[in-house]
Amino acid sequence: MAEAHQAVGFRTSLTSDGAEVELSAPVLQEIYLSGLRSWKRHLSRFWNDFLTGVFPASPLSWLFLFSAIQLAWFLQLDPSLGLMEKIKELLPDWGGQHHGLRGVLAAALFASCLWGTLIFTLHVALRLLLSYHGWLLEPHGAMSSPTKALVRIFSGRHPMLFSYQRSLPRQPVPSVQDTVRKYLESVRPVLSDEDFDWTAVLAQEFLRLQASLLQWYLRLKSWWASNYVSDWWEEFVYLRSRNPLMVNSNYYMMAARAGNAVHALLLYRHRLNRQEIPPTLLMGMRPLCSAQYENIFNTTRIPGVQKDYIRHLHDSQHVAVFHRGRFFRVGTHSRNSLLSPRALEQQFQRILDDPSPACPHEEHLAALTAAPRGTWAQVRRSLKTQAAEALEAVEGAAFFVSLDAEPAGLTREDPAASLDAYAHALLAGRGHDRWFDKSFTLIVFSNGKLGLSVEHSWADCPISGHMWEFTLATECFQLGYSTDGHCKGHLDPTLPRPQRLQWDLPDQIHSSISLALRGAKILSENVDCHVFPFSLFGKSFIRRCHLSSDSFIQIALQLAHFRDRGQFCLTYESAMTRLFLEGRTETVRSCTREACNFVRAMEDKEKTDPQCLALFRVAVDKHQALLKAAMSGQGVDRHLFALYVVSRFLHLQSPFLTQVHSEQWQLSTSQIPVQQMHLFDVHNYPDYVSSGGGFGPADDHGYGVSYIFMGDDMITFHISSKKSSTKTDSHRLGQHIEDALLDVASLFQAGQHFKRRFRGSGKEDSRHRCGFLSRQTGASKTSMTSTYF
């Protein structure tokens, strides 16, 4: 998602006013503290660790084992082979009527030791099994039966959300030689011969002088801490970034209805606290790390002058609500039980009916959360002194709710423009109506449409996406609405009214609010968002071609971007590394030599369709290999990032690592996963499914592109760019993406009719037409026309 922008800017997070900020802590101390933080996280979840520590067995299994031993002892059988007698000898002899207690205690101790040994053996076996990634190399869509059977044997019957955490393997540190080789291979298509030769010289110098030392520290950290890179990624890429969160870091998600959404979100939190959410299983059998779920609710990113930190509360029984420049505190519980959907609706209606005006500067106060982080940190110190209670009510809320006074969402009168405006409203709003520090803001528009604005540092998109899917399905299909359109349930006249928050804003921060608002509006107005559903084909057609759907789209994006810009560029695709404990993401560098060869062939009139198809399959296979390598911990960028951080701790200057982390990602891409399709009926109720989400571009002259497969026959794309750039145009790239998808599909015999349908709509053939040339001749922006649901 938006992490590409943060990854590009993370070097600047180590600078202050143009001067390098030295990381003063010795590297060994930092590695020690990383491990200490890991152990503290484990200890803070002591009860959860107890529950998951006995997985795949349960506490009842201990009772069963103890009863079996007692029964055997009663039948004068000794399953311990004399060990229980030795244990009895070590126990004190209480004599008299307590003589039999020694036998019971001995049996209990033996049962506990035997039970613990069995559990430990199962854990080790499961960790060894999960450390095997050979199944990733099996053909796409296939998995050997022995692999599935072994996982099921050691996984237990009813795992809870965090049950697998102690069995997940640690993320491996790749070979530094392999990483450098893969890096050089990835930049070859986008560098001139001279630049590539110079980069290769820097790489060889790095391998000769510095690599082994830096690698040794990473291996030490991988042994001591839970993950050798994730905590540094969170700190240096997110929390140390001084850029505004709006557009640069936060991302958004769409939906089609409101009403019971707050209640559904709180139900999800209830299930999360009780670990009743099943763990996510890749391909139905391989568990993914669940650590990021812990910070969904009751979480705020607190600004600091040099570094932010994440504040997470164990519980919160209220939400913070913003409406027409006013802040309210709305309780979510009554007598320790969750308020009904109708009662929550009643509270929100009271806020809508409240005629009181906003206090001076209160209306634009939230613009401070969109300001540069250092500025906001300094202002927050004054705010914490003058308006501590109101600030705590917002930062300590379960989440933030923004009740917008304007409508948004898809309209049938102007579907293209309405979706674009919808995306922009979710990504940036008006710059002062979102509290961007909260883990997420629920945005409810006046026509009932809703969406999310999500802060990125605490977790990645699949986590918030999982919550959002549950919310939409619960809100629509389980809670429902009464015949008069209200939420189901009864009004509660005794319910206290929402509490209006009072901000005693000191005079010295008024200018800061105005300055932050001005900057937020400039940033918001500079974003060009474009959303379009592509409905001529989708995942089902790609499956019939026996190809990976993600790789299909990624290679088509390379073709579209080349037509748009006339050149190749470094491409960032986010891949997850949650196969490992506390894993987050890795980068797939999608602009490969194989993809470039295919694009050149598509733009060459002398190349035939079979030749292009052969090159396309080679490019797809290469992308799949890169994706699998990234998922199995053998990617390039996170390893190079960690090496660079260690070099900074050691105060070593590495021209090679410096060059690596000064690269610009002009095309940043991400697929929005649909993880719970069983909750939705896409064919009969398409309006109830999320249309995905998007993020801002990683580069001032680049694009941010996300996509989601909605069912089998639709793909929705979200494109963003900067209006200030003369090189980019989100609508133009959208047109090229549609053309590229049809051109690629026409290479397959089964896909040729899509292009005939497209031509029948009056659009010209895009094959051999270069978008860069049409832009150079002064072609105007094109508006997107497409088939909508």
Side-chain angles (χ1 to χ4, degrees):
M1 294 294 287
E3 65 188 42
H5 187 283
Q6 300 299 104
V8 169
F10 105 88
R11 278 192 71 241
T12 62
S13 71
L14 299 179
T15 63
S16 177
D17 299 328
E20 295 288 328
V21 174
E22 296 294 341
L23 302 179
S24 57
V27 64
L28 288 177
Q29 177 182 335
E30 178 61 27
I31 291 174
Y32 168 76
L33 292 176
S34 293
L36 194 61
R37 288 191 293 266
S38 298
W39 288 107
K40 282 183 177 180
R41 282 194 295 270
H42 294 317
L43 292 175
S44 67
R45 301 194 306 260
F46 177 78
W47 177 242
N48 173 68
D49 282 352
F50 170 76
L51 291 176
T52 59
V54 298
F55 181 78
S58 67
L60 287 178
S61 62
W62 177 89
L63 183 61
F64 174 81
L65 182 62
F66 172 72
S67 301
I69 292 174
Q70 283 291 85
L71 178 62
W73 189 262
F74 178 77
L75 297 176
Q76 298 184 345
L77 299 175
D78 186 6
S80 69
L81 302 178
L83 287 177
M84 286 196 295
E85 286 292 340
K86 294 185 178 298
I87 294 174
K88 287 177 63 176
E89 293 175 0
L90 297 175
L91 294 175
D93 186 3
W94 293 288
Q97 59 182 349
H98 299 294
H99 179 75
L101 183 61
R102 295 176 66 200
V104 175
L105 289 176
L109 289 173
F110 174 73
S112 299
C113 293
L114 179 60
W115 184 70
T117 302
L118 292 174
I119 297 306
F120 178 77
T121 303
L122 286 173
H123 269 302
V124 172
L126 185 57
R127 173 171 288 192
L128 291 174
L129 182 60
L130 297 181
S131 299
Y132 168 72
H133 297 114
W135 56 274
L136 279 172
L137 304 178
E138 297 178 11
H140 179 71
M143 184 179 293
S144 62
S145 297
T147 304
K148 291 182 178 179
L150 287 173
V151 172
R152 287 171 180 166
I153 289 173
F154 290 102
S155 292
R157 298 176 58 186
H158 302 291
M160 302 172 73
L161 178 61
F162 298 111
S163 293
Y164 290 105
Q165 291 301 99
R166 288 197 173 184
S167 299
L168 290 175
R170 300 191 181 195
Q171 186 167 339
V173 181
S175 162
V176 68
Q177 289 80 9
D178 287 346
T179 296
V180 172
R181 176 183 56 80
K182 292 176 183 178
Y183 169 78
L184 292 175
E185 180 184 346
S186 73
V187 298
R188 186 65 189 92
V190 299
L191 294 180
S192 64
D193 292 342
E194 182 181 355
D195 289 341
F196 179 77
D197 290 342
W198 175 244
T199 301
V201 169
L202 293 179
Q204 291 302 318
E205 193 75 3
F206 167 72
L207 289 174
R208 185 174 64 88
L209 297 178
Q210 298 173 327
S212 58
L213 175 63
L214 303 181
Q215 183 80 344
W216 182 85
Y217 282 108
L218 288 188
R219 293 193 183 280
L220 178 63
K221 186 185 178 188
S222 71
W223 173 80
W224 173 243
S226 298
N227 192 290
Y228 84 91
V229 66
S230 289
D231 61 331
W232 284 350
W233 182 256
E234 177 182 295
E235 177 180 348
F236 292 104
V237 172
Y238 293 111
L239 299 182
R240 282 186 181 267
S241 172
R242 302 295 84 197
N243 294 324
L245 299 184
M246 187 181 76
V247 177
N248 295 319
S249 178
N250 290 26
Y251 58 93
Y252 68 88
M253 290 186 173
M254 288 183 169
R257 290 176 62 88
N260 297 314
V262 171
H263 187 82
L265 286 167
L266 294 170
L267 285 178
Y268 186 88
R269 185 180 68 167
H270 177 73
R271 293 188 63 189
L272 178 64
N273 292 339
R274 295 172 58 88
Q275 298 188 50
E276 294 173 353
I277 299 172
T280 302
L281 302 178
L282 185 64
M283 301 178 72
M285 71 95 188
R286 178 60 171 86
L288 303 182
C289 180
S290 301
Q292 296 179 48
Y293 282 90
E294 295 178 329
N295 288 333
I296 294 181
F297 298 94
N298 325 324
T299 300
T300 303
R301 175 172 170 172
I302 305 298
V305 176
Q306 292 187 351
K307 172 188 171 182
D308 296 355
Y309 70 93
I310 296 176
R311 179 194 181 202
H312 173 72
L313 302 180
H314 176 69
D315 191 22
S316 176
Q317 297 197 353
H318 75 276
V319 295
V321 181
F322 179 87
H323 176 63
R324 292 189 181 277
R326 305 160 303 165
F327 292 82
F328 295 86
R329 183 187 188 278
V330 177
T332 57
H333 291 70
S334 178
R335 304 181 187 89
N336 293 324
S337 63
L338 183 62
L339 291 181
S340 69
R342 188 69 178 94
L344 287 169
E345 179 189 350
Q346 173 186 345
Q347 294 293 74
F348 293 138
Q349 190 61 51
R350 286 174 171 176
I351 293 176
L352 295 175
D353 296 338
D354 188 335
S356 61
C359 297
H361 297 282
E362 178 188 14
E363 179 180 3
H364 301 145
L365 176 65
L368 290 169
T369 64
R373 303 303 290 171
T375 301
W376 170 215
Q378 293 174 351
V379 175
R380 183 181 174 275
R381 290 176 179 174
S382 300
L383 202 61
K384 191 172 178 63
T385 303
Q386 301 292 329
E389 183 178 350
L391 183 63
E392 176 60 26
V394 173
E395 294 182 343
F399 52 90
F400 194 79
V401 180
S402 179
L403 302 178
D404 279 22
E406 303 295 331
L410 177 67
T411 62
R412 300 193 181 275
E413 294 77 15
D414 192 354
S418 63
L419 276 178
D420 295 349
Y422 187 16
H424 187 276
L426 293 174
L427 182 62
R430 291 177 290 173
H432 63 84
D433 48 0
R434 318 277 187 258
W435 199 271
F436 291 103
D437 290 354
K438 289 300 293 182
S439 55
F440 68 90
T441 296
L442 175 67
I443 304 162
V444 184
F445 297 97
S446 62
N447 58 349
K449 300 296 177 67
L450 67 145
L452 288 184
S453 174
V454 187
E455 201 280 311
H456 207 325
S457 65
W458 59 273
D460 301 306
C461 174
I463 306 302
S464 53
H466 189 279
M467 172 197 70
W468 198 227
E469 290 171 7
F470 173 88
T471 300
L472 297 180
T474 302
E475 181 260 330
C476 298
F477 301 117
Q478 296 185 25
L479 299 177
Y481 295 88
S482 60
T483 55
D484 59 358
H486 291 286
C487 297
K488 293 181 179 178
H490 302 283
L491 295 174
D492 185 358
T494 64
L495 201 62
R497 298 183 66 84
Q499 177 188 352
R500 173 77 185 274
L501 301 183
Q502 303 297 325
W503 301 88
D504 184 11
L505 301 178
D507 295 337
Q508 60 266 30
I509 75 168
H510 292 175
S511 59
S512 299
I513 295 175
S514 300
L515 186 63
L517 179 63
R518 190 179 308 118
K521 286 186 175 180
I522 292 173
L523 190 60
S524 173
E525 293 170 357
N526 193 30
V527 180
D528 181 20
C529 293
H530 179 49
V531 181
F532 73 95
F534 178 84
S535 58
L536 289 175
F537 65 84
K539 186 179 290 187
S540 61
F541 166 75
I542 300 174
R543 278 201 300 259
R544 291 200 302 271
C545 298
H546 304 288
L547 296 170
S548 160
S549 55
D550 181 67
S551 297
F552 187 102
I553 298 299
Q554 283 293 324
I555 306 305
L557 287 176
Q558 291 300 314
L559 177 58
H561 185 268
F562 183 82
R563 289 172 173 174
D564 185 82
R565 296 290 297 274
Q567 62 184 20
F568 298 107
C569 70
L570 284 177
T571 303
Y572 187 111
E573 182 192 5
S574 179
M576 63 90 183
T577 55
R578 288 171 57 212
L579 293 170
F580 305 102
L581 181 62
E582 296 186 12
R584 291 199 61 162
T585 61
E586 177 58 276
T587 305
V588 178
R589 293 173 169 244
S590 302
C591 185
T592 61
R593 283 185 293 182
E594 292 78 3
C596 294
N597 291 338
F598 163 71
V599 170
R600 292 191 185 99
M602 288 292 287
E603 299 301 284
D604 186 348
K605 295 181 179 180
E606 296 183 358
K607 295 294 185 181
T608 64
D609 283 357
Q611 290 175 316
C612 292
L613 179 58
L615 291 172
F616 179 74
R617 290 190 179 278
V618 172
V620 166
D621 290 343
K622 178 63 176 180
H623 180 269
Q624 273 290 290
L626 293 176
L627 178 61
K628 292 175 179 179
M631 292 173 59
S632 58
Q634 300 300 315
V636 172
D637 288 87
R638 298 302 175 271
H639 187 200
L640 291 176
F641 161 80
L643 290 169
Y644 180 74
V645 171
V646 174
S647 73
R648 290 300 309 274
F649 277 114
L650 295 174
H651 310 304
L652 292 177
Q653 295 298 322
S654 172
F656 171 68
L657 293 177
T658 300
Q659 177 175 313
V660 168
H661 291 99
S662 62
E663 295 171 339
Q664 300 298 314
W665 301 95
Q666 292 189 1
L667 181 59
S668 174
T669 68
S670 180
Q671 180 187 166
I672 309 297
V674 180
Q675 306 167 78
Q676 303 170 90
M677 280 304 299
H678 62 280
L679 298 178
F680 302 95
D681 185 347
V682 178
H683 299 289
N684 295 324
Y685 301 99
D687 291 345
Y688 291 85
V689 184
S690 172
S691 300
F695 51 91
D699 184 71
D700 288 342
H701 300 288
Y703 291 105
V705 180
S706 66
Y707 48 95
I708 181 172
F709 291 93
M710 301 176 63
D712 290 332
D713 300 305
M714 181 177 290
I715 313 168
T716 298
F717 289 87
H718 299 248
I719 307 170
S720 66
S721 62
K722 296 288 183 69
K723 294 179 180 178
S724 58
S725 173
T726 60
K727 300 178 181 179
T728 58
D729 184 323
S730 297
H731 290 76
R732 186 183 67 220
L733 180 64
Q735 182 67 68
H736 287 309
I737 290 175
E738 189 169 16
D739 292 342
L741 289 172
L742 291 168
D743 287 345
V744 172
S746 68
L747 300 177
F748 300 85
Q749 185 175 1
Q752 292 177 355
H753 70 284
F754 295 127
K755 201 160 189 179
R756 289 195 294 270
R757 286 170 53 190
F758 191 66
R759 287 174 179 170
S761 66
K763 295 190 176 182
E764 62 173 300
D765 188 359
S766 60
R767 179 80 188 275
H768 315 311
R769 182 187 65 194
C770 182
F772 175 74
L773 296 177
S774 64
R775 180 177 61 83
Q776 289 292 82
T777 57
S780 60
K781 295 184 179 180
T782 57
S783 60
M784 176 55 58
T785 332
S786 188
T787 306
Y788 290 88
F789 41 72

